[in-house]
Amino acid sequence: GSGGSGGSEPTITAGTAPGFPPFEMKEGGDLVGFDVDLLEAVVEETDYSFEGWEEFEFDSLIPALNNDNIDVIAAAMTITDDRDENIDFSDPYYSADQSIIVRADGDFSPGSLDDLSDRPIGAQKGTTGEGVVNEELVGSRITEGQYNAYDNYVLAVQDLENGNIDAVVLDQPVAETFAANRPVSVAFVYETGERYGFGIREGDSDRQSALNDGLSTVRENGTYEELTQTWFGE
Ligand code: GLN
C-alpha cells in the first residue's frame, strides 16, 4: 500500500490457516490453494487493493480479524450461528460435510459413529470437526481423554499415521485430498451440510457487499468453475 498520511485507499489484508489442502497449504514455501486463488480473483473484481496474506492457526483467525490484523478470513470457514455472533460472513462459496478418516493399511474400518466407540479420535482445534467430536462422541461414545485436539490437521493426520489415534474427523474435501496423497482413507461421511464463507468484521458492510458482488462476478465469468477444476478436478 501507499501508506500516505490521510490516505483512505480501501485495502484488504487476508488471513488464512495453511495445512488444509486443497483450500490452503504451503508448497515450496508459497501459500497456494483454492481459497487463495478464489479470494484474490474476487478482490480483483472490487475497488479494494489486495495487500497480501497473513498466516495463523485456524483458531486464531477470528481474534486476528477482530484485532484488525486482517480484514478478511479465507480459510474454508463454515458459516455457523456461533461464529455469526462475533463476525459477519460473505455469501457461501463452497459446500462440505465431515468425513472420518482412518489408516489405509489398518484393520479398523468404521462405518458409523458407533463404531468409533472407545477409540482415540483427533480433530483440529476450533473447527466444526471438533464440534462433531464434542457433540456426537465425547461423553457418550468416547471419554474426554480419548479426544485429541491438534493445532492443525496435518499434525492430526501424522498422529493417525503413527498409530497414536485411530480416526480423524475433518471436512470431506480435505479428507479426500489427504486420502489421495497419504496412507489414509475415508471410512465414512457424516453429513453436516456446511457452507464456507469469507469472514469479515461485524458491521463491515462495505467489504461484505464488495466481496458478494465479486463472488457473483467470478461465478458468472467462469473463473469460479476454472478454479474448482484446477483444485478439485471437478
Ligand atoms: N470448515 C471447518 C470449520 O470451519 C474447518 C476449517 C479449517 O480447518 N480450515 O470449522
Side-chain angles (χ1 to χ4, degrees), residues 16-17 19-20 23-24 35 58 61 75-80 83 96 98 124-130 153 170-171 174 194-196:
T16 193
F20 206 63
F23 292 94
E24 40 268 339
D35 282 337
F58 183 75
L61 285 165
M77 185 175 273
T78 303
I79 302 168
T80 67
R83 290 174 182 155
Q98 293 295 307
Q124 178 178 290
K125 284 178 193 162
T127 59
T128 49
E130 175 173 80
Y153 271 118
L170 78 172
D171 298 39
V174 180
E194 293 171 58
R195 299 186 311 166
Y196 301 161

Side-chain angles (χ1 to χ4, degrees), residues 175-182 184:
E176 282 170 14
T177 306
F178 279 123
N181 297 300
R182 309 192 47 153
V184 298

